[in-house]
Amino acid sequence: MIGGSVRAGIVAVVLVLVCGWAMPQESSSSGAIAGDLLDSSGKPVSGAEILLAGVVEQHAVSNASGEFRFPGLAPGHYRVTASTPAAGNASTSIDVVAGVTARVQLRLEPAPAAVPKGNGSAGLAQAMQFADDPHFTVAGITDWTAAGGHGSDANLRTSEALTRETVELQSDDPWSTNRCSEDEAALRAAVVRQSGSFEARHCLGILYLRNGHYADAAASLESAYKLKPSDSENEYALARACEKAGNSDKAHEHLQKLSAREKPGDLHRLAGEVDESLGDPVDAVNEFAQAVRMDPSEQNYFAWGSELLYHRAVWQARDVFEQGVKAWPRSARMVTALGASLFAGALYDDAAERLCQAATLEPDNAEPYLFMGRIEVAVPHPLPCVEQKLAEFHQRNPGNALADYYYAMALWKQHQVSANASADQQITTLLQQAVAADPRCGEAWLELGNLQAQSGHYASSISLYSRATDAMPQLSEAWYRLGVAYDRTGQRDKAREAFAQHDRIEKEQAAAVEAQRRAIKQFVISSNGSGAPGPNR
């Protein structure tokens, strides 16, 4: 593999001491977090930014004694992150209980030397670092434990969905992991059934390569190459398979062909894509970083940032996308990706502003509007600039159900704050337009039902909630609201059935989300104090 230089970094080691003690100034319905920030020698660190993310977001700065405090917090799960340019970052999660102040101590420690990757080792990583900002080290991978950083699991799920959609913005260069099944029998059947299928042969070769069946991989990838010799990712994977199978001459021949038509930076990006498809994300991210060093193209920046974001290195992805935006300020997808990374870090207003910027850059590109619509629905407060942009999206796309729905939700969010009763009819009209444009828009049916229930018209809401469940049977909230409406109208048996459906769907979806999260390895990040708000989350 073509790798970068290896240097030692600084990792934030977090020592957490949590205890509850009553504070007379806290109300019985709220709690607080108080803490101390120390350097590696135990001395207080002053002037450091402390970020609180969770049910609410707050910022604080440590005082001369290294102390900081977040008062008046609603009970729930929070993440406390300290950022210091000189000593690195520290982060921890904590639960807040009503009437109690939880105490934390954050300590910054030097990192041990990074362990270089040995030949054939999948678990140990060659660390990555570079001379120019942003500065950080990808030191390895770990299982998903608790992604954290959001006030609700719904927000976290929205973040994960936006991350997947961000990766898919690489439409010109799809990842093998996204386009390939892992079912060998199905792929072999597809090869037989579709004798001229490049895709089936390529994916079967990738599967063989991942599983160490190098001769089979080379044969399958070679047959795919004959069908589509212009596909650089397939040819790079073929070179890897030939090398592993002991045919170094053939591997060299394909690498020479690639070198003749690809820039050096693009070769590193190809290497990264193949590494990711083979289940080696640390080598992949190192290759993407090297691609940017050799050729800071928009595509290489985007591939690098997307890889970091996909593996939950949220702050490092933000840093890379910020650098990408500086280098390519007219790239709407780069700005969109930066917005997605900011949302993943619970910086909701900043995320909205970036998505509005992306929409301004490419007004006819639907992606920034769809992203901002998703986060507007997810967060608890109206977001800056979003209502205006979604109004423009609605005006530009008559008959588009999502344009109608997201604009309605932005107005509703603002209406809840301003108590402007004149907005009710406009919201209703927009939602009716959404379901007229697409009767499968279950979310719009749900919100129409909510409008009726909000006015106490539970009988009228039942048919609307039923349309929502018909349109989207897995929309669990629609089943719950339907159960409430049945209960309020005295239909107890039907209410129990609707609640049982809600509980079943919630359980199934939670299991599916958990499995999906477990399948994505998180990067273990060390920081040398670049100023990022925290380590991977």
Side-chain angles (χ1 to χ4, degrees):
M1 300 304 297
I2 318 168
S5 61
V6 180
R7 299 182 184 177
I10 292 180
V11 67
V13 177
V14 184
L15 175 64
V16 187
L17 301 176
V18 183
C19 61
W21 41 282
M23 292 292 290
Q25 64 267 37
E26 298 300 336
S27 72
S28 60
S29 61
S30 65
I33 296 174
D36 302 288
L37 182 63
L38 308 177
D39 64 16
S40 58
S41 65
K43 295 180 180 178
V45 177
S46 63
E49 182 185 10
I50 315 294
L51 172 68
L52 180 73
V55 180
V56 296
E57 294 82 48
Q58 292 186 21
H59 293 262
V61 176
S62 58
N63 64 19
S65 301
E67 298 172 343
F68 58 89
R69 182 176 176 81
F70 296 105
L73 300 177
H77 187 72
Y78 291 85
R79 192 168 185 86
V80 184
T81 301
S83 175
T84 62
N89 306 307
S91 184
T92 188
S93 296
I94 190 169
D95 291 316
V96 169
V97 179
V100 173
T101 294
R103 189 160 189 86
V104 299
Q105 186 182 90
L106 303 181
R107 186 186 293 266
L108 306 168
E109 295 286 353
V115 181
K117 178 180 178 181
N119 292 335
S121 171
L124 298 177
Q126 180 176 8
M128 173 198 68
Q129 195 178 39
F130 23 10
D132 298 324
D133 284 341
H135 299 290
F136 55 86
T137 301
V138 176
I141 54 176
T142 185
D143 289 331
W144 183 94
T145 52
H150 290 272
S152 68
D153 188 60
N155 280 9
L156 178 55
R157 292 190 190 188
T158 298
S159 170
E160 291 167 334
L162 291 182
T163 293
R164 291 189 294 272
E165 291 167 20
T166 298
V167 170
E168 290 169 4
L169 293 177
Q170 300 188 93
S171 56
D172 294 336
D173 206 356
W175 292 6
S176 293
T177 46
N178 286 341
R179 74 191 199 192
C180 288
S181 165
E182 294 187 1
D183 187 332
E184 180 179 349
L187 289 172
R188 290 175 64 87
V191 169
V192 173
R193 185 173 62 254
Q194 305 169 26
S195 59
S197 170
F198 162 82
E199 201 74 12
R201 284 169 165 76
H202 168 77
C203 290
L204 185 59
I206 289 292
L207 182 62
Y208 284 144
L209 186 56
R210 182 186 299 145
N211 293 336
H213 302 152
Y214 303 124
D216 290 337
S220 188
L221 293 166
E222 177 73 28
S223 65
Y225 170 75
K226 290 177 181 178
L227 290 170
K228 192 176 180 181
S230 62
D231 191 290
S232 296
E233 183 182 341
N234 182 78
E235 189 168 13
Y236 187 88
L238 174 57
R240 290 276 295 276
C242 290
E243 180 186 13
K244 293 287 188 180
N247 192 345
S248 57
D249 289 342
K250 194 73 171 177
H252 183 66
E253 175 188 334
H254 283 292
L255 288 174
Q256 281 189 318
K257 290 180 181 178
L258 283 166
S259 298
R261 69 175 189 266
E262 301 284 351
K263 295 186 291 185
D266 291 340
L267 282 176
H268 283 287
R269 193 181 75 251
L270 284 170
E273 289 157 0
V274 172
D275 282 334
E276 174 63 33
S277 72
L278 296 178
D280 192 352
V282 178
D283 266 1
V285 78
N286 288 335
E287 293 291 357
F288 291 139
Q290 186 70 357
V292 171
R293 291 190 191 97
M294 299 190 73
D295 177 17
S297 68
E298 192 266 357
Q299 173 69 4
N300 289 341
Y301 263 119
F302 193 87
W304 184 20
S306 297
E307 179 75 359
L308 289 163
L309 186 60
Y310 184 69
H311 291 282
R312 298 300 301 174
V314 170
W315 300 116
Q316 292 70 31
R318 182 207 66 174
D319 286 353
V320 168
F321 285 131
E322 282 183 342
Q323 293 297 317
V325 168
K326 289 178 183 177
W328 299 91
R330 302 296 300 173
S331 171
R333 74 167 180 170
M334 192 80 72
V335 180
T336 299
L338 176 55
S341 67
L342 290 166
F343 180 78
L347 301 177
Y348 304 137
D349 289 2
D350 293 341
E353 289 172 355
R354 285 299 189 172
L355 293 172
C356 291
Q357 178 188 352
T360 300
L361 287 170
E362 292 187 10
D364 293 327
N365 181 354
E367 293 295 345
Y369 299 103
L370 296 176
F371 275 46
M372 72 176 74
R374 296 281 291 275
I375 69 172
E376 175 73 6
V377 171
V379 302
H381 60 272
L383 294 170
C385 75
V386 165
E387 181 185 337
Q388 175 188 344
K389 286 298 179 184
L390 289 177
E392 295 173 6
F393 184 47
H394 164 70
Q395 291 164 3
R396 286 174 173 272
N397 295 272
N400 184 309
L402 285 178
D404 296 333
Y405 168 69
Y406 283 136
Y407 183 37
M409 297 309 294
L411 286 175
W412 197 341
K413 188 71 66 68
Q414 189 63 48
H415 164 59
Q416 288 177 327
V417 172
S418 64
N420 180 5
S422 65
D424 281 356
Q425 186 54 52
Q426 186 180 7
I427 293 168
T428 301
T429 299
L430 286 166
L431 293 172
Q432 289 171 341
Q433 289 174 351
V435 296
D438 183 2
R440 298 167 300 174
C441 189
E443 294 98 334
W445 287 115
L446 169 64
E447 299 304 338
L448 283 168
N450 287 341
L451 282 170
Q452 290 294 311
Q454 184 175 284
S455 301
H457 302 144
Y458 290 104
S460 301
S461 71
I462 289 174
S463 62
L464 297 167
Y465 289 140
S466 296
R467 293 295 298 269
T469 59
D470 289 342
M472 297 180 66
Q474 297 303 109
L475 187 58
S476 62
E477 185 182 351
W479 286 105
Y480 178 81
R481 298 286 185 176
L482 179 60
V484 171
Y486 277 136
D487 184 71
R488 295 296 177 89
T489 56
Q491 302 178 68
R492 303 289 188 262
D493 290 342
K494 290 184 176 181
R496 280 192 292 271
E497 291 176 6
F499 288 138
Q501 281 283 73
H502 166 268
D503 293 345
R504 179 188 61 79
I505 293 168
E506 284 286 295
K507 185 177 180 180
E508 291 175 354
Q509 291 179 347
V513 168
E514 180 72 8
Q516 190 175 59
R517 290 170 178 171
R518 295 288 179 188
I520 300 174
K521 298 294 185 181
Q522 286 194 153
F523 283 141
V524 176
I525 298 293
S526 300
S527 171
N528 71 342
S530 65
N536 61 311
R537 310 254 295 251

